[in-house]
């Protein structure tokens, strides 16, 4: 089970940190990712990280403002977002890929998903 938290209403230009708590199967042994879905749009890739945290990848348009990290001892995944923009408004989902060892931007390799946390950026 994956449970996101940390969303809410944030002013443009501000920062926020999303968390994803894992329980049940050893999710912290797997590749993890963050995706987001804005109103009226398809779910899109945000960032991915391998099991050890030594390899990461980001959507090209988001590089520099988003940072993915993990704390396996705490069974937690994080996403820090800086310089928030109104277009970052979306539901943010964390996901785990239990049968895939490399980082991936493809939602198809992720087989466990959280319920999402809403981030709303006011201008």
């Amino acid at each position: 089970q994956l449970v996101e938290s940390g969303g809410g209403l944030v002013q443009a230009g501000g920062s926020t940190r999303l968390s994803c708590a894992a329980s049940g199967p050893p999710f912290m042994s797997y590749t993890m990712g963050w995706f987001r879905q804005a109103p009226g749009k398809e779910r899109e890739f945000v960032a991915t990280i391998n099991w050890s945290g030594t390899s990461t990848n980001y959507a090209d348009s988001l590089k520099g403002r988003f940072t993915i990290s993990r704390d396996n001892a705490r069974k937690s995944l994080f996403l820090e977002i800086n310089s928030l923009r109104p277009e970052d408004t979306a539901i943010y989902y964390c996901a785990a890929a239990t049968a895939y060892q490399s980082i991936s931007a493809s939602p198809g390799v992720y087989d466990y998903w959280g319920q999402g946390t809403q981030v709303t950026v006011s201008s």
Side-chain angles (χ1 to χ4, degrees):
Q1 183 180 7
L2 302 173
V3 180
E4 302 93 337
S5 61
L9 180 63
V10 189
Q11 284 192 330
S15 300
T16 193
R17 190 190 197 204
L18 308 183
S19 299
C20 174
S23 62
F27 290 111
M28 292 299 104
S29 298
Y30 306 131
T31 289
M32 303 288 291
W34 285 99
F35 293 78
R36 70 182 185 181
Q37 187 167 17
K41 296 186 177 181
E42 294 186 353
R43 189 171 300 189
E44 67 172 345
F45 166 71
V46 174
T48 179
I49 187 168
N50 70 338
W51 73 273
S52 63
T54 56
S55 181
T56 60
N57 191 29
Y58 300 88
D60 288 341
S61 62
L62 304 179
K63 288 180 180 178
R65 297 193 299 118
F66 288 65
T67 303
I68 188 172
S69 61
R70 66 192 298 164
D71 184 339
N72 288 346
R74 294 168 56 190
K75 298 183 180 180
S76 295
L77 178 73
F78 306 101
L79 182 70
E80 183 168 350
I81 314 172
N82 298 312
S83 302
L84 279 157
R85 304 168 181 171
E87 54 263 40
D88 294 322
T89 295
I91 299 174
Y92 285 74
Y93 300 89
C94 69
T98 63
Y100 199 78
Q101 298 302 312
S102 300
I103 55 175
S104 176
S106 173
V109 308
Y110 294 87
D111 45 359
Y112 285 89
W113 293 80
Q115 84 290 346
T117 186
Q118 175 73 47
V119 174
T120 302
V121 183
S122 63
S123 58

